[in-house]
Amino acid sequence: MDWMYFLELAVNGALAGLMYALVAIGIVLIYKSSSVPNLAQGALTMLGPYLVLAFAVQAKLSMWLAIPLAMVSMFAVGLVIERVALRRLAGQPVVMILMMTLGIDIFLRATALTVWGGSGRNMPLGISDAPLFLGPLLVNRAYAIGAGVTLVMFALSIFFFRTRMGTVLRAIADDYTASWSVGISVERGVALSWALSSVCATAAGVLWGSVQTVDQSLSLLLLKGITVGVLGGLDSIGGALLAGLLLGILENVASGYLDPLLGGGTRELVVAAVLILTIMVRPHGLFGRQDIERI
Amino acid sequence: MDTRTIAPELKVAASAAAATRVLECRDVERRFGGLVAVTGVNLHVDRGEIFGLVGPNGSGKTTMTNAITGFFPPQKGSILLNGEDITGLAPHKVARRGVARTFQNLALFNGMSVLDNILLGRHVHMHPSIWRTALYPWFAKPEEVRNREVVEEIIDFMQLENVRDEHVDSLPLGLKKRVELARALAARPSFLILDEPMAGMNQEEKAYMARFILDARDERGVTVLIIEHHMDIITGICDRMLVLSYGEVIGTGIPREVIADPRVVKAYIGGSHAAQ
Amino acid sequence: MEATTANGNLLTLNNVEVIYDGVALAIKGVSLAVPSGGMVALLGANGAGKSTTLKAISGLLKPERGEITRGELHFDGQDIERLMPQQRVRRGIVQVLEGRRVFEHLTPDENLVAASAVTGCNRAEVVRRRDRVYEYFPRLHQRRSSQAGFLSGGEQQMLAIGRALMTQPRLLMLDEPSLGLAPFLVAEIFQIVRRINQKEGLSVLLVEQNAMAALEVVSHGYLMENGRVVMHETAEAMKRNPDIQEFYLGGKEGRDFHQVKHYSRRKRWLS
Amino acid sequence: QAQNSIKFGLCYDLSKAYTFVTPQIVQAAKDYATLLNAKGGIEGHPIEILVQDHGNEPQRGIECYEKLKREGVMMFDYLSTPVSRAVLPRHMQDGNVMLQSFVGRGDAVDGDVFKWIFPIGPTYWGQMANDVAYIKSQHKGNLKGVKVGFIYPDYAFGQEPIPVLKTLAAKEGFDLQLFPNPMPGRDQAAVWTQIRRFNPDWVISWNLSAMHVVAAKEMKRNGIPMEKLIVVNWLNEVDINNIGAAEAKGLKRGTNVVGGKDHPLMQQIIKEVYGAGKGAGDAKNLDDIYYNTGLAMYSSMFEGVRQAIKKGGWPLTPAKIKDGLESLRNFDANGFIAPVTVTAKDHGGGGKTRIDMWDGSKWVPQSDWTAAYTDVVDQVVKEQSAEFVKSGK
Amino acid sequence: MLYRRAGIFHTSYADDRRLFPIPFERWAMLALLAIALAAPFMFSSLALTSYIRPWLIWSAAVLGLNLVLGWAGQFHFGYAAIMGIGAYASVHAARHGVPWEIAVVLGGLMATAVGVVFAFAALRVKGLYLALSTLAMQFVMDWVISHVPAISGGVAATLQAPPMRLLGQVVKSEAGTYYVVLAWTVAVTLFMLNLRRSALGRALVAVREKDYAAAVIGVQAFRYKLVAFAASAFIGGVSGSMLIYGFYHAVTAEQFAVNVSIEVLAMVIVGGLGSIIGSFFGTAFILLLPGQMNAFIAWAARSIGLDVGVEALAHIPYMVYGATIILVLLLEPMGLGKLYGNVRNYLMVWPFGYVRK
Ligand SMILES: Nc1ncnc2c1ncn2[C@@H]1O[C@H](COP(=O)(O)OP(=O)(O)OP(=O)(O)O)[C@@H](O)[C@H]1O
Ligand SMILES: Nc1ncnc2c1ncn2[C@@H]1O[C@H](COP(=O)(O)OP(=O)(O)OP(=O)(O)O)[C@@H](O)[C@H]1O
Ligand SMILES: CC(C)C[C@H](N)C(=O)O
Ligand SMILES: [Mg+2]
Ligand SMILES: [Mg+2]
């Protein structure tokens, strides 16, 4: 066995996995603070970088101004989504909320296509493409930077949920009515979680956009994000991080060794299989909260 | 009434007639993680009895009923129903042996009407299947009609005529509890477990409910285990009772005597409100 | 059947009507008043509309698709009908919901912190209020860092009340706090509420089925029936009323349930 | 039945994976039609271009076919390997013409079997054969031991040239390794780690536009020189721009049509269509080689139809169109494409491509229009079409 | 007063549970059936083949998904895979000379077998986690279908379906195919209607509402989840075959990919969970509305002399698709079926609006 090969697959897989986790953190953020499973996160991840480009290219601003501006705009987008689409559905069965976010996803994607067209755009972050070696190990520089940003986001999120606002959001996720009864503004809490998650999506989208160019296919990151989220347990930030690492390493290693044998496409297969098996063993993901059902 | 629906019930009755002991729990223990919810509980309920189970909040009463009905099987000890060991049996199997129960937090099927809820109580006497459904007019219809007759009789007994077609979620709490009892009775159980059936009721409603329970025992031969925090109910309708505290038995016997026991008073009833 | 609208009333309801879902008329012109610093009980049979009345006051009808279609709602002399629930909480109205809806996945500590958010007080103040709650409910202090969902019924009820106190209310509304509690706990909780009422001048509106316990601590009582207030008396007078005795207090001696027959009730107080 | 116009059904993927190219091709088809219609159409009959989206889903392609068929369309184009493959049997059954230029399936050039299918111009198979021939020429005619990595998105289009590639690898003795990449094909980090380990002499990338961009970037990150990369024809100016004109230096592309705006047909369109404000889209697309590709495709179609009307007269029938297309002789649209000669046996018409290299500012042809390994390709064609006859799939 | 109920007295329990207890609705149903039978003579070939036929088939499939999602309350994000299995199995069977009717049933059975595998996930997990595990199963099925040549017929192949045959006779005409499809849809609809009033249907709802309460009345959640997944898989499998024989005439792996699962799901939810008539509405909305809107917008733009680019035009259906989902959910979260129910309830008591309390 070629250990270097294994290690390289594992390390680069881990980096990619952390970037998946970045998409997942957005999903977890919303779920943890309002019990809404957000399937529009993919579309938000696509929308963010488009806005960055709109500011940077169309309005000719510097990249470092465009990104914060886009984040602010995305913050607003999150607020709007809550106000227009979700407020009415508060308290409805989860299928409907699920469908609503899917509808938003489809709608946003089609809108982006109409506005910006189908061809890919560059996201010039100025990350050098020169190979980066750690000893004999080649590390994918763009992914490494992404992984770093993920870790920062992770730390911020953990910190956020420790604050009083974070506690309030978790309370909302537990029980809307009880939250209202003690004067928590559920609407504002949910809106805030969407807004923060949209900002998170912008970060994820910009990084992924720099790796794989910006176009509508960014929205397909949803699948990876939601898989990581569920695997980690939908309301566990740490779980998302760990699941991202796990999944990234696994799919990279598996495809490295199995693809030549099975003729391709094993990556998706392995991911799916791992997901099914993990959920069978741990029905709430790795670290998800247990449902408390008092009989 | 069609004989086919009664047959299984008769069978239960026949075998139980020999032994008068409907339920027997021996040295039951159930833990949740590190928490010991009940331990070393011995109790038995005889045919035709109304048996009261009381204790402070969190003392393990509901846990006991969950152990009996198979939701949280005990980790130690055994449970016998009509002499048969049912320890660890799945809930639906326990139900098929003639045990029905209601829940502390209400467990009605909210998407349905009162009638459908009670009809579901007849489930163990029906044979739902794809084929019967597909060929409804020939196979399912006669069965539906047969069971509907039984259900209408229960509705009559529980005085639920005027809410028959209402959706259960819009009913007030007291009526819901009554519907749940009706659903339990619809199965024609030999043993009925009631978990706080009168929580949130006023005196009058309590009296109503007590009447239904007594009638169920007297007219239908149901043996009852009841959990209640209303002491007047316990002393008023129970033949025997048992007190739990921190998962252990601290007293058992005739109600009037048990509630006078200083240990019970201290752990459960408290100073001045003994009558409640 | 009208509420005294004399001055000194913290809360007054005048002829309030509530409809659920646009079709179900739940309360039909309820009028009542809670005096400043007083304790008032609201009694009534199942489905009489007690919870609906409380929700109308706290603004929690909306999530259940209910709305006030008529009547006036005044708190501290001001019309509050248009306010959102959180605004009402800020003014000092808080409701403890029926069935102890605590935040199950949070610890008691976090439950209390979450409830303090609305008033926007600083950290020291939060700690002060929390400690005060723990003072009233020492049991909670013992279990402060276990998940609230696994607390026993009584502890959850204490937590729910404690959580409401965190908002520093002026009017505390309790919806069946004794539901499913052991007898000694019922007594304990009522005593605590009484103590808070006396020590801090907190007004209390108490909805109870357990009339015996409730009438021990309140000064006045209202009786609801079928969406209407049908009686308003002092606690003493209510305890003496023969109908109340029969239907709510269970007679003098406790009843022999074996003697109860199926009967249709006689509604003596309905005109 | 009193229809006077010539209807073309363009069932394209305008909404999913191919949106980078389909609008330009539609635009080209429409502009060309406008140009001709202004002069009275083809032999006096106006051209009508009907466009519908199929999202690159086979079943929606079928839907599109069924619908347009009932609207009197006899010539269809799907511009997608998976969709063409799915609809093909219906064309065979109904006897309607399918235009299949530049997409799969490769064996459809066999006119004996695929009577109604016209992949005029090079197929992916021919293009792949030419790529290999080019590599061979770079190794002084000996491919023994040369390592070739093939990276492709793991679905019909990417898989299409594999039979030819494998046959050639066996014949020439080069070391071939396949690197499938799951759709949507953007996340290629994993694959490139593997490719770097394989240490190939050449990488053939069967990707689509933005996927090429990712591939090129990943190559840089993995320290593989750009010179080693040969891409399939679906890479345009936008992509070069996204890679970076300087970074892309040395990249090679299999090319089917002449790019740029110099060609007289382009000039004519710029003057007469865009000059008159009748362009079907943004004028900046005229810089895009995909626009030229569209023009190339439809110039042979229109010419075929012209022949059909000339020979068989109006009204058109599918059989007449077939005849017309099969009488294209050495047609090169005035030097726009390599000359094609379509016959009843050969619906491809020659299948010539050339290799272009990006030199940092423009494309430089590295070879002539050629068709290499025609025997090998023919053999694979025969095998596969025989298989089709046998199994009907 | 179309919906007159006065004067209708149910004199037996069976009567009380008739499919259509209200005379007006019985008449409406008969009329609808008559239209359905006459459709081949009333509509153009285009409408019949491109709109009505797929609509009927998809409606049957949607009813099948509604059985597991609406009735039993179990998330199922892999329904397209199930349909695909049925389609492939029946096509393979028919190609190997199995009589058509049997081939289709075989397809259904094969789908049932796979559907049962999905059910095992449902026994372990609930809610979102179930949604995701079924989605993952869909991916696995996709992979298996496209990578096992014995199923898909090799890489990127399109498997041609033999013609539909009834009793050995080839059904070729458009009308003939239509009637076969119609028969299947009517059969599924009848089954679902019966489900609504039978013990099985109640048991499924019980499992959906509260599984522990179901258990205590003797309903074995395990068994009924299995039954639900199996029955819905059978309906899905046969509908999948119908889609092939009655509409596409060819199978490809992409035809039953993830996005199709999502689309069926959207049909169910837009139609309304557990609503039979809603399933038909939902299907029509998701399947037909986007295309029609597109045509309409193109037409409107042309008639006011506006030029909408092909690209924009191609994206409109997707925007409409997304917007439909959003708007229906905003308007009535319980879907179009509920909306219809509201209208019906209104008419039922019309003109006496305020009857309740
Ligand atoms: N599923 C569970 N997981 C963890 N702990 C549990 C669970 N169910 C019950 N417990 C714990 O077991 C103990 C006994 O609970 P149980 O519900 O039996 O009490 P109870 O006597 O019914 O009380 P109450 O009168 O309040 O209903 C409590 O401390 C409770 O927190
Ligand atoms: N969400 C709702 N939708 C429709 N009707 C409702 C709703 N909530 C309550 N009702 C109806 O309103 C009436 C009053 O209910 P409410 O809950 O206020 O009674 P209550 O006096 O609190 O009774 P309980 O003792 O059961 O708590 C009842 O008839 C009930 O059926
Ligand atoms: C237009 C192209 C993008 C089509 C694609 N190359 C295919 O054959 O599938
Ligand atoms: Mg209990
Ligand atoms: Mg209430």
Side-chain angles (χ1 to χ4, degrees), chain A residues 38-236:
Chain A
N38 177 17
L39 298 188
Q41 192 70 16
L44 295 175
T45 307
M46 166 202 71
L47 197 59
Y50 267 129
L51 290 183
V52 171
L53 288 184
F55 287 122
V57 180
Q58 259 121 299
K60 303 220 183 344
L61 297 175
S62 126
M63 206 62 186
W64 304 114
L65 197 61
I67 291 178
L69 265 180
M71 285 184 165
V72 172
S73 324
M74 286 297 284
F75 192 91
V77 168
L79 295 182
V80 169
I81 290 181
E82 189 278 335
R83 182 66 195 86
V84 174
L86 282 154
R87 191 165 292 185
R88 249 197 80 105
L89 284 190
Q92 294 288 337
V94 68
V95 225
M96 280 140 210
I97 297 177
L98 209 64
M99 202 69 232
M100 175 59 95
T101 58
L102 260 177
I104 297 174
D105 182 83
I106 294 165
F107 183 77
L108 285 182
R109 220 172 340 153
T111 310
L113 259 177
T114 317
V115 177
W116 288 291
S119 43
R121 285 146 196 255
N122 236 3
M123 172 62 71
L125 283 189
I127 300 175
S128 153
D129 277 339
L132 178 68
F133 282 94
L134 285 186
L137 219 68
L138 185 132
V139 176
N140 197 319
R141 192 189 300 255
Y143 282 69
I145 290 173
V149 173
T150 308
L151 289 175
V152 172
M153 284 300 214
F154 167 75
L156 284 178
S157 310
I158 294 274
F159 171 76
F160 174 71
F161 279 109
R162 295 261 161 88
T163 64
R164 174 146 49 132
M165 198 59 217
T167 311
V168 167
L169 290 188
R170 286 199 293 139
I172 293 175
D174 244 14
D175 191 336
Y176 279 25
T177 310
S179 304
W180 271 309
S181 83
V182 292
I184 294 171
S185 172
V186 174
E187 297 83 1
R188 228 182 289 165
V190 176
L192 177 69
S193 71
W194 274 82
L196 289 178
S197 174
S198 302
V199 171
C200 210
T202 314
V206 166
L207 285 164
W208 276 109
S210 81
V211 173
Q212 45 171 253
T213 72
V214 178
D215 67 4
Q216 57 138 352
S217 74
L218 278 178
S219 64
L220 296 174
L221 283 168
L222 168 70
L223 272 178
K224 280 281 158 53
I226 196 95
T227 306
V228 167
V230 164
L231 196 58
L234 268 169
D235 63 337
S236 165

Side-chain angles (χ1 to χ4, degrees), chain D residues 89-110:
Chain D
R90 303 199 152 199
H91 278 267
M92 299 295 290
Q93 207 179 2
D94 297 353
N96 273 325
V97 174
M98 181 200 280
L99 310 170
Q100 204 205 302
S101 294
F102 307 141
V103 299
R105 54 192 287 168
D107 54 354
V109 294
D110 184 344

Side-chain angles (χ1 to χ4, degrees), chain C residues 199-271:
Chain C
K199 248 173 76 178
E200 313 191 8
L202 177 70
S203 315
V204 177
L205 177 57
L206 183 61
V207 163
E208 255 306 336
Q209 295 286 2
N210 193 337
M212 176 84 85
L215 291 179
E216 285 299 314
V217 293
V218 298
S219 59
H220 286 265
Y222 289 85
L223 183 66
M224 280 188 81
E225 181 77 13
N226 249 326
R228 290 200 172 85
V229 171
V230 290
M231 182 188 282
H232 174 209
E233 291 282 3
T234 62
E236 287 312 310
M238 279 194 126
K239 274 194 262 187
R240 272 184 271 109
N241 183 304
D243 285 346
I244 300 272
Q245 274 186 5
E246 171 156 9
F247 294 125
Y248 288 90
L249 303 178
K252 282 271 172 305
E253 263 305 293
R255 170 197 308 268
D256 182 357
F257 291 97
H258 292 271
Q259 301 312 314
V260 177
K261 282 280 162 268
H262 287 158
Y263 57 87
S264 288
R265 61 191 291 177
R266 296 145 289 147
K267 290 175 183 137
R268 268 178 257 171
W269 47 63
L270 271 188
S271 46

Side-chain angles (χ1 to χ4, degrees), chain E:
Chain E
M1 295 232 297
L2 292 172
Y3 276 92
R4 197 161 55 175
R5 271 206 299 195
I8 305 167
F9 301 106
H10 298 298
T11 47
S12 71
Y13 293 138
D15 242 20
D16 191 29
R17 291 264 159 145
R18 288 172 75 150
L19 285 183
F20 303 104
I22 300 164
F24 170 71
E25 284 189 326
R26 266 203 301 279
W27 290 114
M29 278 300 130
L30 282 178
L32 216 60
L33 203 65
I35 295 178
L37 287 175
F41 314 102
M42 293 168 62
F43 298 100
S44 72
S45 149
L46 180 69
L48 196 68
T49 50
S50 294
Y51 304 123
I52 298 180
R53 220 155 57 184
W55 173 59
L56 285 176
I57 303 173
W58 280 110
S59 295
V62 166
L63 283 172
L65 181 58
N66 217 336
L67 170 60
V68 85
L69 194 71
W71 262 268
Q74 306 297 310
F75 282 1
H76 195 334
F77 276 42
Y79 196 65
I82 299 285
M83 292 174 69
I85 295 290
Y88 270 109
S90 71
V91 168
H92 277 296
R95 284 168 72 102
H96 285 90
V98 178
W100 186 79
E101 301 85 347
I102 299 179
V104 169
V105 172
L106 274 179
L109 292 177
M110 195 68 201
T112 309
V114 176
V116 166
V117 177
F118 276 72
F120 279 101
L123 302 180
R124 272 299 283 168
V125 293
K126 292 184 202 169
L128 285 177
Y129 292 92
L130 178 59
L132 255 285
S133 23
T134 49
L135 190 65
M137 287 182 173
Q138 161 98 42
F139 278 113
V140 175
M141 295 308 307
D142 280 358
W143 192 89
V144 171
I145 289 178
S146 62
H147 282 73
V148 177
I151 302 177
S152 58
V155 185
T158 300
L159 207 57
Q160 294 303 314
M164 202 182 252
R165 271 168 211 278
L166 274 182
L167 304 171
Q169 296 297 307
V170 174
V171 181
K172 256 223 289 291
S173 70
E174 279 173 6
T177 329
Y178 166 80
Y179 284 125
V180 173
V181 164
L182 179 68
W184 167 245
T185 307
V186 169
V188 173
T189 311
L190 277 179
F191 175 77
M192 296 302 285
L193 284 170
N194 280 332
L195 187 68
R196 197 160 61 179
R197 56 177 179 170
S198 74
L200 179 62
R202 281 196 301 271
L204 292 182
V205 176
V207 171
R208 172 189 81 198
E209 289 289 331
K210 273 190 189 86
D211 45 4
Y212 63 91
V216 87
I217 52 170
V219 178
Q220 194 178 359
F222 169 81
R223 187 170 150 211
Y224 287 95
K225 283 183 190 173
L226 220 61
V227 168
F229 273 90
S232 100
F234 184 82
I235 296 176
V238 175
S239 300
S241 326
M242 286 293 169
L243 204 58
I244 299 309
Y245 288 108
F247 186 53
Y248 291 137
H249 306 294
V251 218
T252 62
E254 292 94 340
Q255 213 161 315
F256 299 105
V258 183
N259 54 330
V260 182
S261 274
I262 303 287
E263 216 170 296
V264 199
L265 199 69
M267 292 175 185
V268 170
I269 293 185
V270 165
L273 284 177
S275 166
I276 294 172
I277 186 143
S279 298
F280 286 87
F281 291 154
T283 310
F285 255 63
I286 299 297
L287 194 69
L288 305 178
L289 188 71
Q292 297 307 313
M293 273 309 263
N294 196 26
F296 172 76
I297 290 174
W299 171 83
R302 225 177 307 126
S303 54
I304 60 169
L306 212 77
D307 196 29
V308 184
V310 276
E311 241 189 309
L313 221 43
H315 302 143
I316 288 172
Y318 290 92
M319 286 168 87
V320 173
Y321 172 34
T324 305
I325 295 173
I326 296 174
L327 289 180
V328 169
L329 284 174
L330 285 182
L331 193 66
E332 176 52 72
M334 291 306 296
L336 297 169
K338 178 75 195 300
L339 217 55
Y340 168 81
N342 290 349
V343 171
R344 180 174 174 271
N345 283 345
Y346 176 79
L347 288 179
M348 204 100 89
V349 298
W350 186 85
F352 306 107
Y354 231 82
V355 286
R356 279 197 64 193
K357 307 205 173 169

Side-chain angles (χ1 to χ4, degrees), chain D residues 141 224 266 289:
Chain D
I224 305 173
M266 289 293 285
I289 188 160

